[in-house]
Amino acid sequence: MRLLWPLLATIVIELGVLLFLGERRRKVLCGSVVMNVLSNVPLNLYAINVSDGWSTLIVGEALVVLTEALCYRWLLGEWRQTWIYSLLCNAISFLTGELFVLINLLFTY
């Protein structure tokens, strides 16, 4: 469950961002789900078991953005939209996750 909730939240958030941006192509939306399964789980395992702070988490997120950008490039066939999708989806997903962590900490203490 520790990996499932962040994965599901990421998928929902990033699909929402893509739909908000007007993306309707099934191959791109399904590709986003696959990319998130392949990138979110390892990143969260790393964050839980290895990460020693913000710097390593940011490097991990940067690698995810780059990897997903390459996948979007393959799906879309051009770079401009690729970077918009990868950067916006991952930034909004990351910031939403951090907001939930902050809210959880506030209510814990």
Side-chain angles (χ1 to χ4, degrees), residues 15-25 28-29 81 85:
L15 283 176
V17 171
L18 290 173
L19 291 170
F20 179 78
L21 292 172
E23 184 58 61
R24 298 294 184 266
R25 290 172 282 191
V28 175
L29 298 173
Q81 198 172 14
Y85 281 8

Side-chain angles (χ1 to χ4, degrees), residues 7 9-10 17 25 30 35 38 41 48 66 79 82 89 100 104-105:
L7 174 61
T10 298
V17 171
R25 290 172 282 191
C30 290
M35 283 185 267
L38 296 176
V41 174
I48 291 167
L66 179 60
W79 279 109
T82 289
C89 285
F100 279 111
N104 190 30
L105 286 173

Side-chain angles (χ1 to χ4, degrees), residues 51-61 94-95 97-99 101:
S51 180
D52 59 353
W54 280 96
S55 60
T56 54
L57 186 58
I58 290 171
V59 168
E61 278 291 336
F94 177 78
L95 293 173
E98 294 308 311
L99 179 64
V101 168

